[in-house]
């Protein structure tokens, strides 16, 4: 049983400057009772029982096992001053003799797990004080401190409940919350780009409302006020509005899960209609041929990069990190490690016959397994990976040279064309799901929904 976190639940003017009793509260077989506490009124006030329940007998201590649980789970704390003084030595006073006794603050608290009232006794080492008036003052302050804490919801028997209460009462501000949120995502292994996006979103919110604002004071009004202001002043499109809302929702959901707030203020905030994106468009057959012909003549490195995307549906970022040790030519598979893949899963991908021809030309067996497949435009295989956006920038030069820069083609367009062709060739939904390493068929259905507008059928319509 621990009672040494009392200070966290007291108001600033409470006297808690002395350290808690390190040995913790002591449980005795029965409570001590001062001589002047014999009346039923006093007993009811201090330790929660009435003498009338014992039919005129004066009890030695309250039998809480036989009592109903009181409305409050505790009794009012009181100062107990030890045994009654019957003899005062010559040269001393009754006040001094009483001060020599071992005093303590006593109260009872309901132990829910054992279904009984448990006695709590604390001294906080105040018995070292010898001056009677100073000792009385400090014990009265300590008694009052425990009374305030108990009324505020402090539980001397449940540290987890106290931790939750501390978060509710004290709270953290937005800047502290952002530090915790970032630390959580770094430990979780979230992609640096995603962490950067979260940080940017929350920092924008902090700039608007102030970093010292407590997170438990933020409601849906503050969220909506911020989103509407940014939408109005910065001319946000629907997708930008929704992305910012998603970032804030993740931030406050983290705070709710960790009990810093009781409700997520973003949950009921409205969203905006999301207009279809124009990026990552699927190549037309003509444009695809023009691009591949140009790459074949001017950029063999970029040609291999996009062939890898087309045949494996591995994402551009995942290809940057692809090392030779993940290419198994005996099993004819490529495995993207979970530390790199978008869904954090290590799933093998089959090497198509056409791609195998390209890989055999590179003579992979001659290189160290730690080397990267697409690390260099000169040698392809390299000891270090290529820079971020290196392949895309080379592909962009191709689009400029072929006059296709305004078509919204990206490296993902090769992946999309591959899946459209798979669908046309009769691949099942499950096969396409496996080829793309999707987590579920529903994810594949959502993905294909945008691509089906490019699938045209030349089959005849049955006559009426």
């Amino acid at each position: 049983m621990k009672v040494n976190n009392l200070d966290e639940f007291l108001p600033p003017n409470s006297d808690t400057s002395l350290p808690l009793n390190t040995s913790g509260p002591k449980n005795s077989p029965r409570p001590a009772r001062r001589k002047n506490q014999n009346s039923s009124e006093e007993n009811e006030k201090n330790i929660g029982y009435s003498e009338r329940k014992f039919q005129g007998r004066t009890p030695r201590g309250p039998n809480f096992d036989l009592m109903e649980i009181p409305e409050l789970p505790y009794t009012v704390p009181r100062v107990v001053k030890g045994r009654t003084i019957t003899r005062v030595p010559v040269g001393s006073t009754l006040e001094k003799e009483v001060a020599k006794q071992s005093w303590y603050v006593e109260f009872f608290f309901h132990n829910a797990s054992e279904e009984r009232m448990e006695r709590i006794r604390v001294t906080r080492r105040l018995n070292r004080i010898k001056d009677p008036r100073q000792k009385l003052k400090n014990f009265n302050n300590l008694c009052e401190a425990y009374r305030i804490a108990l009324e505020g919801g402090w539980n001397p028997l449940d540290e987890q409940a106290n931790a939750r209460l501390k978060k509710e009462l004290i709270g953290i501000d937005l800047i502290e919350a952002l530090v915790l949120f970032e630390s959580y995502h770094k430990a979780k292994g979230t992609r640096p780009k995603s962490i950067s996006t979260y940080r940017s979103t929350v920092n924008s919110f902090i700039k608007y409302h102030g970093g010292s604002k407590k997170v438990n004071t933020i409601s849906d009004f503050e969220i909506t006020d911020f989103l509407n202001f940014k939408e109005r002043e910065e001319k946000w499109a629907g997708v930008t509005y929704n992305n910012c809302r998603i970032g804030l929702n993740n931030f406050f959901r983290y705070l709710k899960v960790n009990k810093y707030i009781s409700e997520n203020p973003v949950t009921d905030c409205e969203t905006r209609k999301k207009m279809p994106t124009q990026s990552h468009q699927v190549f037309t057959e003509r444009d695809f041929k023009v691009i591949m012909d140009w790459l074949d003549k001017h950029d063999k490195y970029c040609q291999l990069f996009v062939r890898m995307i087309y045949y494996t549906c591995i994402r551009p970022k995942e290809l940057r990190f692809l090392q030779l040790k993940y290419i198994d030519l005996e099993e004819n598979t490529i495995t993207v490690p979970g530390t790199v893949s978008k869904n954090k899963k290590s799933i093998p991908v089959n090497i198509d016959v056409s791609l195998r021809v390209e890989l055999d030309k590179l003579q992979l067996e001659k290189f160290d397994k730690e080397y990267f497949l697409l690390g260099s435009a000169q040698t392809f295989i390299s000891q270090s990976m290529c820079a971020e956006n290196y392949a895309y920038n080379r592909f962009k030069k191709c689009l400029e040279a072929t006059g296709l820069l305004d078509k919204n083609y990206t490296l993902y367009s090769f992946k999309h064309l591959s899946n459209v062709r798979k669908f046309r060739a009769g691949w099942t939904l499950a096969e396409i799901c496996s080829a793309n390493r999707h987590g579920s068929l529903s994810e594949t259905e959502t993905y294909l929904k945008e691509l089906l507008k490019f699938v045209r059928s030349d089959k005849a319509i049955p006559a009426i």
Side-chain angles (χ1 to χ4, degrees), residues 459-464:
K459 294 181 180 179
I461 300 175
I464 297 176

Side-chain angles (χ1 to χ4, degrees), residues 181 197-198 201-202 223 227 236 238-253 264 266 269-271 274:
F181 186 58
T197 301
Y198 288 143
T201 299
V202 177
I223 304 297
L227 291 174
W236 275 3
V239 64
T240 308
Y241 182 101
N242 290 341
N243 286 341
C244 183
R245 182 189 177 281
I246 290 171
L248 290 176
N249 182 67
N250 288 336
F251 174 63
F252 284 100
R253 182 173 59 188
N264 185 343
V266 186
C269 293
E270 63 183 9
T271 60
K274 188 175 180 180

Side-chain angles (χ1 to χ4, degrees), residues 68-304:
E68 295 182 358
I69 299 174
E71 184 176 348
L72 292 175
Y74 61 87
T75 60
V76 179
R78 62 172 184 151
V79 177
V80 179
K81 299 180 180 179
R83 63 182 178 82
T84 303
I85 302 299
T86 58
R87 177 176 173 275
V88 178
V90 178
S92 183
T93 64
L94 179 61
E95 190 180 43
K96 289 181 179 180
E97 292 304 307
V98 172
K100 291 179 182 179
Q101 303 299 308
S102 293
W103 296 12
Y104 51 86
V105 172
E106 178 186 77
F107 61 93
F108 289 78
F109 200 94
H110 183 250
N111 188 326
S113 61
E114 299 182 11
E115 297 185 349
R116 66 183 181 86
M117 296 296 282
E118 187 166 332
R119 175 168 33 210
I120 310 293
R121 287 181 175 178
V122 288
T123 67
R124 293 188 78 177
R125 294 184 293 176
L126 296 181
N127 282 310
R128 72 183 187 275
I129 302 174
K130 302 306 179 185
D131 180 80
R133 294 185 180 182
Q134 190 66 29
K135 185 171 184 177
L136 179 61
K137 177 183 177 181
N138 279 274
F139 265 99
N140 283 340
N141 286 342
L142 180 63
C143 185
E144 177 68 5
Y146 274 98
R147 183 189 67 78
I148 294 173
L150 289 167
E151 288 180 354
W154 174 68
N155 186 336
L157 307 178
D158 190 342
E159 288 300 313
Q160 291 185 348
N162 289 337
R164 291 193 296 270
L165 180 63
K166 177 184 175 183
K167 290 178 178 179
E168 293 174 5
L169 294 181
I170 301 175
I172 57 175
D173 59 36
L174 283 168
I175 292 178
E176 293 171 321
L178 177 57
V179 172
L180 293 173
F181 186 58
E182 282 195 56
S183 298
Y184 160 74
H185 277 287
K186 288 177 181 178
K188 181 184 175 182
T190 303
R191 293 183 301 169
K193 185 177 180 181
S194 297
I195 295 176
S196 177
T197 301
Y198 288 143
R199 186 191 305 115
S200 176
T201 299
V202 177
N203 274 330
S204 183
F205 185 77
I206 289 174
K207 184 178 180 180
Y208 185 76
H209 283 295
S212 61
K213 190 173 184 64
K214 296 290 186 180
V215 296
N216 56 7
T217 66
I218 296 173
S219 67
D220 56 352
F221 172 80
E222 282 80 10
I223 304 297
T224 302
D225 183 43
F226 165 73
L227 291 174
N228 288 346
F229 173 81
K230 300 292 283 188
E231 181 182 40
R232 181 176 62 254
E233 296 299 320
E234 299 187 13
K235 304 296 188 295
W236 275 3
V239 64
T240 308
Y241 182 101
N242 290 341
N243 286 341
C244 183
R245 182 189 177 281
I246 290 171
L248 290 176
N249 182 67
N250 288 336
F251 174 63
F252 284 100
R253 182 173 59 188
Y254 162 80
L255 295 176
K256 180 182 178 182
V257 169
N258 288 275
K259 309 304 179 185
Y260 290 103
I261 57 177
S262 58
E263 296 294 335
N264 185 343
V266 186
T267 301
D268 295 328
C269 293
E270 63 183 9
T271 60
R272 294 288 183 264
K273 184 177 181 180
K274 188 175 180 180
M275 300 302 293
T277 178
Q278 297 300 314
S279 61
H280 310 315
Q281 293 296 299
V282 179
F283 297 117
T284 64
E285 294 296 334
R286 174 191 169 281
D287 289 347
F288 181 69
K289 184 177 186 310
V290 170
I291 288 171
M292 296 307 293
D293 287 345
W294 190 94
L295 291 176
D296 184 55
K297 295 178 181 178
H298 301 94
D299 197 333
K300 296 290 187 181
Y301 169 84
C302 190
Q303 184 190 49
L304 177 60

